Amino acid sequence: MSDQISAWVGRYAPLVPGGAVLDLACGSGRHARHLAALGHEVVAVDRDATALAAASGPGITTSAIDLEEEGAVWSFGPHRFAGIVVTNYLHRPLFGDMLASLAPNGVLIYETFADGNAQFGKPSNPAFLLRPGELLELAREHGLRVVAFEDGVITEPKAAMVQRLCAVKPDFPREAALLPPF
């Protein structure tokens, strides 16, 4: 497993305003460490205790939660996070509660596998693949303003079909969306 952060997360993480950030399904913590280095207090959540041990560090609080188990409850209150980062993970039942936990000026950075990924390997189950335009629809349904969206093939770190979204809550000031050059 690479410790290199996603280029998408690296590009948009600087937009997250001051405050706590949730790294959902954090794995070994590559993004949690990056966000902590940017000065955020990070809550790193994963169901894998071994991965969480690797994710721990200064400015990072780890929490072992399996949000897919029977009876699992979202344990974070409304408007709790200035930013939420999700990569390589999809569990649609979390969308509503997750976005309710985003602060009124918060930033959502989401990147995961999309329909068509089966040609590159796993995941190939449609339950774990975003449908065409699904992240855009999620943003629209929850009143988020899209800063950036991509849907296509990547070649690094391995070939995959992905969707990527950076979206902000309504109170995020437009002039704060300083977009880095390509």
Side-chain angles (χ1 to χ4, degrees), residues 5 23 26 28-38 40 42-44 55-56 58-60 85:
I5 66 165
D23 184 358
C26 68
S28 61
R30 62 190 174 130
H31 297 121
R33 284 187 292 282
H34 178 70
L35 293 158
L38 292 176
H40 296 284
V42 179
V43 176
S56 66
I60 301 171
V85 173

Side-chain angles (χ1 to χ4, degrees), residues 5-15 34 148 178-182:
I5 66 165
S6 153
W8 188 257
V9 173
R11 180 176 171 92
Y12 293 103
L15 296 184
H34 178 70
L178 298 174
L179 303 178
F182 284 102

Side-chain angles (χ1 to χ4, degrees), residues 92-117:
R92 291 175 179 94
L94 296 178
F95 285 165
D97 289 335
M98 176 185 72
L99 293 176
S101 290
L102 198 56
N105 66 338
V107 176
L108 172 67
I109 302 170
Y110 207 121
E111 174 183 38
T112 198
F113 302 100
D115 183 48
N117 193 65

Side-chain angles (χ1 to χ4, degrees), residues 83-171:
I84 297 176
V85 173
V86 185
T87 61
N88 301 334
Y89 180 72
L90 177 64
H91 186 59
R92 291 175 179 94
L94 296 178
F95 285 165
D97 289 335
M98 176 185 72
L99 293 176
S101 290
L102 198 56
N105 66 338
V107 176
L108 172 67
I109 302 170
Y110 207 121
E111 174 183 38
T112 198
F113 302 100
D115 183 48
N117 193 65
Q119 66 186 308
F120 302 106
K122 297 207 181 281
S124 57
N125 181 337
F128 304 117
L129 302 174
L130 290 164
R131 297 179 295 268
E134 188 170 357
L135 286 179
L136 287 175
E137 182 64 21
L138 175 71
R140 188 194 64 73
E141 287 176 1
H142 291 275
L144 302 177
R145 187 174 58 186
V146 174
V147 173
F149 174 77
E150 292 183 347
D151 184 0
V153 176
I154 61 169
T155 57
E156 297 294 329
K158 68 177 187 124
M161 181 73 70
V162 300
Q163 275 185 50
R164 302 166 163 172
L165 175 81
C166 176
V168 297
K169 285 289 240 358
D171 289 355

